[in-house]
Amino acid sequence: MTPLRPLIVTMGDPAGVGPEIIARAWSTLSDSAGSLAPFVVVGDAQVLKAHGQPVEAVLSPADATSVFGRAIPVLHHPAPAQVTPGMPDPANAVAVADWIERGVDLVLSGEGCGLVTAPIAKAPMYASGFRFPGHTEFIAELTADVPFSGTRGPVMMLTAKDLRACLVTIHVPIDQLPELVTGERVARVARVVHESMKRDFGIAAPRLAMAALNPHAGEGGAIGLQEVKVLRPAAEALRAEGLNITDPLPADTLFHEEARARYDAVVCLYHDQALIPVKTLDFWGGVNATLGLPIVRTSPDHGTGFDIAGKGVARADSFIAAVRLASEMASARAAR
Ligand SMILES: NC(=O)c1ccc[n+]([C@@H]2O[C@H](COP(=O)([O-])OP(=O)(O)OC[C@H]3O[C@@H](n4cnc5c(N)ncnc54)[C@H](O)[C@@H]3O)[C@@H](O)[C@H]2O)c1
Ligand SMILES: N[C@H](C(=O)O)[C@H](O)COP(=O)(O)O
């Protein structure tokens, strides 16, 4: 099989742990040529150089393959404001968004096989006028006009070990869930997940589970009506379409080892219903992936870690797992 093009890594907030986990990940992965796609970083080369690894500015992702064994290849796009680890500056937020847009463009052009995004911090991005909740919605907007055969996302998936938890709603207040958890929204997410399990994970016959919203799946309507009125009808309609998906199941018994063995992915209804089990199962190895887009995109399961940025203690495990997963997903897409 033809070798993959490089992965495109975006630096994220330069004041966060992104630069140091990229440097640490490179020192681990630089001799993995062949088994994993190499990566090239879109960001400020000077910021990366501060983390003790060789850095080499390149002119295109194509240069990354020959450089990756000896240095971190960087497509240098300078941060406009001074970078102080742990001290985010909204003046750099526009550059952070530009790095993401550049990264998406490089994957769409075919110069990169997938995108791995180091963490951004929402507050400084919002302060600069960034109008998206996070990477997920921004990247969906950037790829909205690109043809895509299948149900279009974005769907956020958090994965660790054998758990793939996919979100129907993301960064919304809990009191909006009864209004937002609709049959249409659940069905669209389930279709995206079903198609992604085949496209991105090579699972020919995906088994999906659906989490209930209410305790004990609503206890037949005695503890809430979403399961009776919304979720079970949606599951029945999806099964009629040919998807293998359960009725809404009590979330408290969905995530233990034996339960996880019964499904390939679980459709969860809100952020913490998915993220607590994933980050509890393996905080250091968890990965955030965006499904249902024309490009592969992954990200570590943690944020910018401003409290430890620049102190040399940030772990690169999740970032390395995100690189591995993006490489695997890109390979699965290339093999189809
Ligand atoms: N992929 C992403 O872009 C992403 C993911 C999650 C959160 N965020 C954003 O990051 C910002 C900070 O979020 P938060 O404080 O809720 O979570 P966080 O993950 O940044 O930090 C939570 C705790 O985990 C620690 N931690 C984080 N990464 C670590 C690493 N690599 N090694 C060791 N310890 C680590 C931090 O020191 C902190 O104590 C917020 O704006 C949030 O929205 C971004
Ligand atoms: N909910 C995500 C997590 O905790 O990993 C995080 O906010 C990242 O969201 P984006 O990938 O949309 O930036």
Side-chain angles (χ1 to χ4, degrees):
M1 185 172 75
T2 50
L4 288 170
R5 298 289 176 91
L7 288 166
I8 308 297
V9 166
T10 52
M11 183 175 274
D13 192 312
V17 296
E20 60 194 278
I21 61 175
I22 291 170
R24 197 154 293 136
W26 176 83
S27 68
T28 301
L29 297 174
S30 53
D31 59 2
S32 65
S35 63
L36 282 177
F39 62 72
V40 59
V41 181
V42 179
D44 189 314
Q46 295 310 315
V47 172
L48 204 49
K49 280 180 180 166
H51 295 285
Q53 300 298 336
V55 173
E56 205 167 306
V58 296
L59 297 176
S60 86
D63 302 332
T65 307
S66 59
V67 168
F68 194 74
R70 65 172 183 268
I72 306 172
V74 181
L75 293 164
H76 178 54
H77 294 264
Q82 174 69 28
V83 174
T84 306
M87 305 288 289
D89 184 340
N92 283 327
V94 172
V96 170
D98 289 348
W99 297 342
I100 296 165
E101 188 160 357
R102 176 77 176 124
V104 169
D105 287 346
L106 287 170
V107 180
L108 289 175
S109 70
E111 295 176 81
C113 68
L115 185 69
V116 181
T117 56
I120 62 175
K122 295 171 174 55
M125 297 297 287
Y126 297 163
S128 74
F130 186 73
R131 58 187 177 81
F132 300 90
H135 283 104
T136 301
E137 297 82 358
F138 183 36
I139 295 166
E141 171 80 7
L142 293 173
T143 58
D145 296 334
V146 176
F148 180 62
S149 63
T151 307
R152 192 180 287 264
V155 169
M156 178 180 290
M157 178 184 79
L158 271 292
T159 180
K161 297 187 190 289
D162 60 349
L163 177 56
R164 300 185 187 95
C166 307
L167 285 71
V168 169
T169 65
I170 307 181
H171 296 121
V172 299
I174 287 289
D175 61 14
Q176 292 182 13
L177 289 180
E179 173 197 344
L180 293 175
V181 176
T182 64
E184 294 73 20
R185 191 187 293 261
V186 170
R188 180 184 64 81
V189 167
R191 295 185 192 107
V192 169
V193 175
H194 171 81
E195 292 163 23
S196 173
M197 289 306 111
K198 293 195 276 187
R199 177 191 308 113
D200 301 318
F201 295 91
I203 299 172
R207 301 166 301 156
L208 306 187
M210 183 191 292
L213 180 64
N214 296 299
H216 305 301
E219 200 69 48
I223 315 176
L225 292 172
Q226 279 80 9
E227 287 75 17
V228 173
K229 291 193 166 184
V230 176
L231 298 174
R232 198 175 307 144
E236 287 163 0
L238 287 163
R239 286 194 292 267
E241 289 176 28
L243 273 69
N244 178 354
I245 188 166
T246 68
D247 278 337
L249 299 175
D252 65 326
T253 54
L254 254 184
F255 298 105
H256 62 78
E257 189 174 357
E258 289 74 15
R260 297 200 306 270
R262 292 194 285 267
Y263 57 81
D264 299 304
V266 54
V267 174
C268 294
L269 302 177
Y270 60 95
H271 187 276
D272 285 357
Q273 188 180 62
L275 274 69
I276 289 173
V278 169
K279 296 191 182 183
T280 301
L281 190 60
D282 187 2
F283 177 68
W284 301 117
V287 177
N288 170 6
T290 307
L291 310 183
L293 296 185
I295 67 169
V296 164
R297 180 259 170 168
T298 65
S299 197
D301 70 352
H302 58 75
T304 45
F306 289 130
D307 56 326
I308 60 166
K311 296 177 179 172
V313 299
R315 291 178 54 162
D317 313 58
S318 179
F319 184 82
I320 290 170
V323 168
R324 290 192 191 284
L325 182 62
S327 192
E328 290 162 7
M329 290 171 73
S331 297
R333 287 198 179 194
R336 284 174 67 90

